[in-house]
Amino acid sequence: MRVLVINGPNLNLLGTREPEIYGDTTQEGLEALIEGWGESLGVETLFTQSNHEGEVVDAIHQADGVDGLIINPGALTHTSRSIGDAISSVGLPAVEVHISNIQQREPWRAVSLVASSCVRTIFGRGLDGYQDALRHLHNRAATPFDTVAYGPHPDNVADIRRPAGEASGLVILIHGGLWRQEYERDSTETLAVDLTGRGFVTWNIEYRRGREGRWPGSAQDVVSAIDFVIREMPGMPVAIVGHSAGGHLGLWAAARRPDVIGMMVGLAPITDLTAMAGAGAVGSRDAQRLLDRGAPATVDPITGKTMLVHGKEDEIVPVSHSTRLSTGARVEVVPGMGHFPMLDPKREHWPLVVAELGKSSDQRRSELPGLSTDR
Ligand code: CA2
């Protein structure tokens, strides 16, 4: 796979000015980082940067022999119709990336004229946004999916991926990201692709975040997304896998639907908002906002049907969020692991999760009359 990375006006100044917004890595440094991220995914990366709108358009037209684009059009994002048209005209999947959080700066930056020509817009994640964009392009090439609306809000969507043969069960994935606007379902996509390859239908959900989300918005959407898919697939064994804040949402939602959820897996889940709010670390302010809006201080496992997997070295959500629930859940503490490797199906925790999901769907199929148990 080959991906062309296009950076627009002023991005050649990276690392020289406004480090509080754009960091201190130079354009050259950024391109070296992206090249390395590409190599670890088996994706070849090509680069171009221009301060001129017409040259950005030309670069898109000339993107021969590439399978996807990553584009940060700089301030042209907010003014250029021709860049969006050029992207649409070449018919390549393009991911729009912004280093800064364009939703939380001047109002004119929140408007993107290229977004509707792109398959995803990633913003406010710093340089990591480029890595996430590469991963998204890689995942979308690996397994086809459909995006389905489960409710009226633009964030009420989920990606469904279906296995080649008969499905052994349904896994609902809930991404994390502290209920913030800038973190979306691309983070759980690699797990969804892996599980689909193992015979599960996967339903990787989006939900309202930020001001419209948090509590109760995010939680209401998660329940709607679950109800929607189980109505569509009656009799299918159902499991939830939620990471971080998605673990919090999953544990809460699973407790609301205990008879339909066969297994709840929390990957580095947040289970105690009071502890998180008081820690004075990343996520404290976010947890406090949920508490202020009436979220329950703690979430509990559904006994006998919950597995919590947590890295001992988790730098965002301390392992105590899982170990405090070890009487009601199977808790696996993984030595030497942090918060984000939980999203990598190549890591050592994943076979444990896969085995648990398989066991629970086999058991569910044997309980449900009329469903064949042999696959
Ligand atoms: O956040 C982003 O990545 C932007 O696309 C960057 C553009 C800005 O106009 C967009 O609204 C958001 C500007 C790039 C300016 O880059 C500089 C880098 C270092 C020093 C000064 C400017």
Side-chain angles (χ1 to χ4, degrees):
M1 181 174 197
R2 298 173 92 200
V3 170
L4 173 64
V5 181
I6 304 173
N7 281 309
N10 295 312
L11 286 156
N12 57 318
L13 299 179
L14 273 181
T16 63
R17 323 230 176 95
E18 303 188 70
E20 65 291 352
I21 302 177
Y22 300 112
D24 52 18
T25 305
T26 61
Q27 182 201 331
E28 228 183 14
L30 168 63
E31 292 180 356
L33 277 171
I34 299 172
E35 192 176 1
W37 291 327
E39 272 163 19
S40 52
L41 288 169
V43 176
E44 189 190 336
T45 45
L46 310 164
F47 300 92
T48 185
Q49 189 277 330
S50 172
N51 292 327
H52 307 279
E53 180 171 8
E55 283 183 9
V56 173
V57 171
D58 288 342
I60 297 166
H61 290 174
Q62 287 153 17
D64 283 336
V66 304
D67 307 290
L69 301 174
I70 293 175
I71 182 160
N72 182 345
L76 291 172
T77 304
H78 322 295
T79 63
S80 172
R81 297 277 176 198
S82 52
I83 291 176
D85 276 355
I87 295 167
S88 303
S89 76
V90 295
L92 291 169
V95 180
E96 175 189 3
V97 173
H98 300 285
I99 298 166
S100 66
N101 189 335
I102 54 173
Q103 301 287 341
Q104 285 177 9
R105 300 179 64 190
E106 305 92 320
W108 58 267
R109 281 192 212 271
V111 180
S112 167
L113 300 185
V114 305
S116 61
S117 303
C118 297
V119 294
R120 287 285 194 282
T121 296
I122 292 174
F123 62 89
R125 308 185 195 173
L127 303 185
D128 288 348
Y130 290 88
Q131 181 180 25
D132 295 345
L134 272 177
R135 203 189 302 109
H136 175 69
L137 289 171
H138 187 251
N139 280 328
R140 72 185 284 130
T143 319
F145 63 90
D146 291 313
T147 302
V148 179
Y150 65 79
H153 190 276
D155 284 327
N156 293 159
V157 292
D159 298 329
I160 189 160
R161 291 177 171 81
R162 297 170 192 279
E166 196 203 333
S168 55
L170 164 70
V171 181
I172 299 168
L173 292 120
I174 312 174
H175 73 82
L178 298 168
W179 312 273
R180 292 184 194 171
Q181 195 74 43
E182 60 268 34
Y183 297 108
E184 300 194 347
R185 67 191 183 285
D186 56 283
S187 73
T188 35
E189 239 163 38
T190 313
L191 301 181
V193 167
D194 178 272
L195 290 170
T196 305
R198 296 176 190 273
F200 293 96
V201 179
T202 58
W203 178 244
N204 186 26
I205 71 173
E206 200 45 83
Y207 52 85
R208 282 174 296 163
R209 308 164 313 285
R211 219 189 304 279
E212 291 181 88
R214 295 194 190 110
W215 201 267
S218 299
Q220 284 168 342
D221 287 357
V222 166
V223 171
S224 303
I226 293 170
D227 287 352
F228 181 95
V229 75
I230 59 185
R231 262 198 317 272
E232 295 289 305
M233 298 187 185
M236 184 78 103
V238 187
I240 297 177
V241 173
H243 176 242
S244 193
H248 179 267
L249 289 162
L251 282 159
W252 183 81
R256 242 114 239 106
R257 298 286 181 273
D259 17 302
V260 284
I261 306 302
M263 176 54 56
M264 167 65 214
V265 178
L267 303 174
I270 296 169
T271 72
D272 185 338
L273 293 178
T274 312
M276 186 127 206
V282 184
S284 288
R285 197 178 39 115
D286 308 87
Q288 188 58 50
R289 282 181 165 160
L290 261 79
L291 289 169
D292 292 346
R293 296 175 85 184
T298 55
V299 284
D300 298 313
I302 32 175
T303 306
K305 297 201 286 188
T306 305
M307 178 191 200
L308 308 178
V309 189
H310 219 121
K312 198 168 177 207
E313 270 63 60
D314 195 311
E315 68 286 20
I316 312 273
V317 182
V319 69
S320 53
H321 280 258
S322 285
T323 51
R324 59 175 280 273
L325 297 176
S326 45
T327 50
R330 173 181 170 194
V331 177
E332 294 289 342
V333 174
V334 190
M337 204 187 263
H339 193 65
F340 295 104
M342 284 283 148
L343 297 165
D344 183 354
K346 292 200 180 77
R347 293 293 299 250
E348 61 272 28
H349 68 301
W350 194 239
L352 303 174
V353 174
V354 169
E356 196 71 43
L357 292 173
K359 213 164 59 182
S360 115
S361 78
D362 285 351
Q363 191 186 334
R364 197 70 166 188
R365 289 165 79 84
S366 68
E367 287 162 9
L368 293 168
L371 270 178
S372 81
T373 47
D374 55 320
R375 277 182 253 152

